[in-house]
């Protein structure tokens, strides 16, 4: 099994994916263990002094003015975890919780939190055992970290609350820890606060969304090319020299992908022989510009994620010179903004894909294709309602594109008077990514059927490879009306699993 070693300098996106989705094992480096021990010595020294230090010998948030005596500090740390584990609503997905815990461990191992090495090791042990704390949908405002979600994870480390075992059964966390020989932690000064004060949930969801969207943007280039081909459009607009004079990197990459898919097609430009069109519609002609802008948005979001993955997000933090200082690094604004930006870009990509699908189905704009790509129009409805489903998904995408980060709701008696709502931005982006997958799947379903209906004209080799692969995956081709939902579900799985990109790349080589 793949092993991820956590050191003091952060982790990579591939590390997060390996742990969250791949079940990779975690080890702490010797450097991290030494840094943990050194920072803990500083915290212990401060805890022994009479002067109050936030998070070590004081209350939290609006209660930070109270100095806590030594005999109450262990109780203080337990209490912050218990009281902050106040989430409600449906359970959050297992991969999100694993990413959340792993990224918190990443910050703990930086040596800036003052957590003892044994606490960090317990976090790794819980993940390695396949134990997943029960975390709920609602509870984070994305400031002072993803407090409620992280608190539910910390509660499991204490042997309290509920967690899911490796068999998928939810049971008391204490039972699961005991079965795997894991001793619950007894939290000491600062440790409770350090376990729940970070942007780890929103960051984990950002990393996973970036991975999913990377595949989806390639998939959208493929389906756009198939629709162009089915509509007898021209591929001249994809010429590299045209995109070189507007040098947005994403635009150039999308155009190159579409051109690679269309290489060798006998359908492109065919309309110029008998029914001249000066230009194709925007949804066809401007596909690289729209998808390309989204790709550039991905690049910016990836840069933010990389910076956050290299960060130590906690308050207060232990500095190399021995100071323990309060700060505002837990604020989720940098992550929240790009989560919202990605939802906007995804909504636009879904919107343009739906417009191409609608054009394929409209006999007045499809240049000779049968109405709704039906076998016997009137008797058969063809893909009429598949487009309705796609339109409903696009409408939902537009609602999901409303920024969460533009909102702020004060909390903690106005101490935390401006919050990021980054967790909410991440949650709606996950829904947007799911919907975008379905939208692209419906365009794929319509475009492959439309290409097959162009009898007498030979599609590109890459197109033929897609049609063969998608049919082998259980997505049926043209014919009389049938129960359509299973076909659409199979197309969705074909896109979601990356099979569409794989089928194309076997012909074109790696897409950009």
């Amino acid at each position: 099994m793949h092993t991820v070693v956590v050191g003091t300098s952060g982790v990579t996106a591939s590390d997060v994916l390996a742990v969250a989705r791949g079940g990779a094992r975690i080890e702490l480096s010797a450097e991290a263990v030494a840094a943990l021990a050194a920072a803990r010595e500083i915290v212990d020294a401060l805890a022994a002094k009479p002067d109050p230090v936030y998070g070590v010998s004081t209350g939290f948030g609006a209660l930070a003015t109270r100095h806590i005596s030594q005999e109450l500090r262990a109780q203080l740390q337990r209490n912050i975890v218990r009281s902050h584990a106040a989430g409600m609503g449906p359970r959050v997905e297992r991969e999100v919780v694993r990413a959340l815990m792993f990224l918190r461990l990443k910050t703990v191992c930086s040596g800036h939190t003052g957590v003892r090495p044994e606490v960090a090791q317990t976090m790794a042990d819980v993940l390695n055992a396949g134990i997943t704390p029960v975390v709920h949908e609602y509870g984070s405002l994305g400031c002072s970290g993803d407090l409620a979600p992280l608190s539910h994870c910390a509660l499991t480390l204490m042997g309290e609350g509920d967690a899911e075992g490796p068999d998928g059964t939810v049971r008391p966390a204490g039972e699961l820890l005991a079965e795997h020989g894991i001793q619950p932690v007894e939290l000491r000064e600062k440790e409770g606060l350090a376990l729940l004060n970070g942007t780890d949930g929103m960051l984990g969801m950002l990393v996973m969304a970036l991975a999913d969207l990377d595949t989806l943007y390639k998939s959208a280039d493929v389906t756009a090319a198939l629709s162009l081909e089915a509509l007898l459009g021209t591929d001249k607009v994809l010429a590299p020299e045209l995109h070189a004079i507007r040098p947005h990197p994403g635009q150039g990459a999308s155009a190159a992908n579409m051109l690679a898919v269309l290489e060798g097609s006998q359908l492109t430009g065919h309309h110029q022989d008998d029914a001249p069109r000066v230009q194709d519609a925007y949804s066809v002609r401007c596909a690289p510009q729209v998808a390309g802008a989204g790709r550039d948005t991905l690049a910016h979001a990836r840069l933010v994620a990389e910076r956050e993955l290299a960060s130590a997000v906690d308050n207060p933090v232990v500095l190399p010179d021995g100071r323990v200082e309060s700060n505002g690094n837990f604020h989720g604004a940098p992550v929240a903004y790009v989560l919202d930006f990605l939802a906007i870009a995804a909504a636009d990509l879904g919107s343009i894909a739906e417009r191409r699908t609608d054009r394929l189905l409209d006999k007045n704009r499809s240049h000779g294709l049968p109405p709704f790509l039906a076998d016997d129009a009137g008797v058969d409805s063809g893909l009429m309602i598949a487009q309705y489903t796609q339109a409903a998904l696009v409408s939902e995408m537009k609602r999901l594109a409303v920024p969460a980060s533009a909102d702020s709701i004060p909390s903690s008696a106005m101490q935390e008077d401006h919050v990021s709502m980054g967790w909410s931005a991440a949650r709606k982006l996950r829904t947007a990514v799911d919907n975008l997958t379905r939208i692209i799947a419906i365009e794929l379903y319509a475009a492959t059927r439309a290409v097959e209906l162009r009898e007498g004209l030979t599609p590109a080799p890459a197109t033929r490879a897609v049609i063969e692969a998608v049919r082998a995956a259980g997505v049926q081709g043209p014919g009389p009306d049938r129960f359509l939902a299973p076909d659409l579900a199979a197309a969705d799985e074909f896109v979601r699993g990356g099979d569409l990109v794989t089928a194309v790349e076997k012909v074109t080589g790696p897409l950009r």
Side-chain angles (χ1 to χ4, degrees), residues 149-187:
L150 283 163
S151 295
H152 282 275
C153 294
L155 201 65
T156 294
L157 300 179
M158 293 165 51
E160 301 181 16
D162 293 327
E164 179 186 298
D167 63 352
T169 302
V170 175
R171 297 166 53 195
E175 292 181 10
L176 288 168
L177 295 186
E179 282 185 7
H180 289 84
I182 301 172
Q183 187 71 26
V185 297
E186 293 284 345
L187 297 177

Side-chain angles (χ1 to χ4, degrees), residues 293-330:
R295 284 169 168 272
D296 291 342
T297 303
L298 284 178
H300 171 62
R302 194 171 290 112
L303 177 62
V304 172
E306 288 170 355
R307 290 169 175 165
E308 198 76 358
L309 287 168
S311 300
V313 179
D314 192 17
N315 178 51
V317 292
V318 180
L319 296 174
D321 60 8
R323 287 179 295 147
V324 176
E325 296 285 0
S326 292
N327 66 89
N329 284 342
F330 49 74

Side-chain angles (χ1 to χ4, degrees), residues 134-483:
V134 170
V135 173
H136 299 280
E137 181 80 16
Y138 303 106
S140 174
L141 299 179
C143 202
S144 287
D146 290 317
L147 289 172
L150 283 163
S151 295
H152 282 275
C153 294
L155 201 65
T156 294
L157 300 179
M158 293 165 51
E160 301 181 16
D162 293 327
E164 179 186 298
D167 63 352
T169 302
V170 175
R171 297 166 53 195
E175 292 181 10
L176 288 168
L177 295 186
E179 282 185 7
H180 289 84
I182 301 172
Q183 187 71 26
V185 297
E186 293 284 345
L187 297 177
R188 289 169 48 180
E189 290 94 341
K190 193 182 180 302
E191 290 181 334
L193 182 60
L195 290 177
L196 52 90
N197 207 345
T199 57
D200 309 291
M202 64 184 89
L203 176 59
M205 287 186 274
L206 173 60
V207 169
M208 289 185 284
L210 286 169
D212 295 338
L213 287 168
D214 182 67
T215 298
L216 286 176
Y217 269 85
K218 292 175 184 175
S219 300
D221 290 340
V222 174
T223 57
L226 296 180
S227 291
L228 183 153
E229 193 174 26
L231 290 166
L232 305 178
T234 177
D235 59 359
K236 291 183 178 180
V237 296
L238 305 174
E241 58 269 25
L242 293 175
H243 298 278
I245 62 175
R246 195 189 190 196
H248 293 288
Q251 177 179 322
S254 286
N257 286 346
M258 289 180 66
L259 202 57
V261 173
L262 293 169
E263 185 176 354
S265 175
Q266 293 182 12
L267 277 72
T268 56
H270 186 78
H271 65 272
Q272 296 173 355
D273 298 342
D274 51 16
R277 265 177 276 160
V278 176
Q279 299 177 117
D280 291 314
Y282 282 11
S283 60
V284 177
R285 185 177 9 135
C286 300
Q289 284 76 11
V290 172
R295 284 169 168 272
D296 291 342
T297 303
L298 284 178
H300 171 62
R302 194 171 290 112
L303 177 62
V304 172
E306 288 170 355
R307 290 169 175 165
E308 198 76 358
L309 287 168
S311 300
V313 179
D314 192 17
N315 178 51
V317 292
V318 180
L319 296 174
D321 60 8
R323 287 179 295 147
V324 176
E325 296 285 0
S326 292
N327 66 89
N329 284 342
F330 49 74
H331 200 287
V335 182
Y337 291 168
V338 293
L339 287 163
D340 280 332
F341 200 175
L342 289 173
I344 292 169
D348 201 31
L349 188 65
S351 179
I352 197 171
E354 183 275 331
R355 287 293 80 205
R356 289 190 295 265
T357 304
D358 182 67
R359 184 167 290 271
L360 289 168
L361 273 53
D362 184 353
K363 69 181 181 65
N364 297 310
R365 295 180 290 140
S366 66
H367 308 287
L369 291 169
F372 302 104
L373 304 180
D375 186 62
D376 184 4
V379 175
D380 295 314
S381 295
L383 306 191
M384 180 190 295
I385 307 305
Q387 186 269 330
Y388 279 37
T389 299
Q390 195 183 37
L393 289 163
V394 169
S395 184
E396 174 73 4
M397 292 278 285
K398 292 174 182 177
R399 292 190 290 273
L400 293 167
V402 176
S405 59
D407 184 29
S408 175
I409 188 162
S411 57
S412 192
M414 293 299 286
Q415 175 71 8
E416 298 169 11
D417 59 352
H418 183 84
V419 298
S420 77
M421 302 306 297
W423 174 272
S424 298
R427 296 306 294 165
K428 69 184 182 67
L429 178 60
R430 283 181 69 83
T431 303
V433 170
D434 272 348
N435 286 354
L436 179 60
T437 307
R438 299 181 182 107
I439 290 166
I440 292 171
I442 292 172
E443 182 181 17
L444 171 69
Y445 188 68
T448 51
R449 176 182 283 209
V451 168
E452 288 181 291
L453 291 171
R454 294 290 189 189
E455 296 179 357
L457 295 172
T458 304
T463 301
R464 295 198 299 273
V466 168
I467 292 172
E468 290 172 4
V470 78
R471 298 291 172 255
V475 182
Q476 299 184 55
D481 280 358
R482 55 183 172 268
F483 181 23

Side-chain angles (χ1 to χ4, degrees), residues 11-34:
V11 296
T12 65
S14 61
D15 291 335
V16 177
L17 296 171
V19 172
R21 292 178 166 172
R25 290 189 60 80
I26 301 162
E27 291 182 3
L28 309 186
S29 72
E31 175 193 31
V33 173

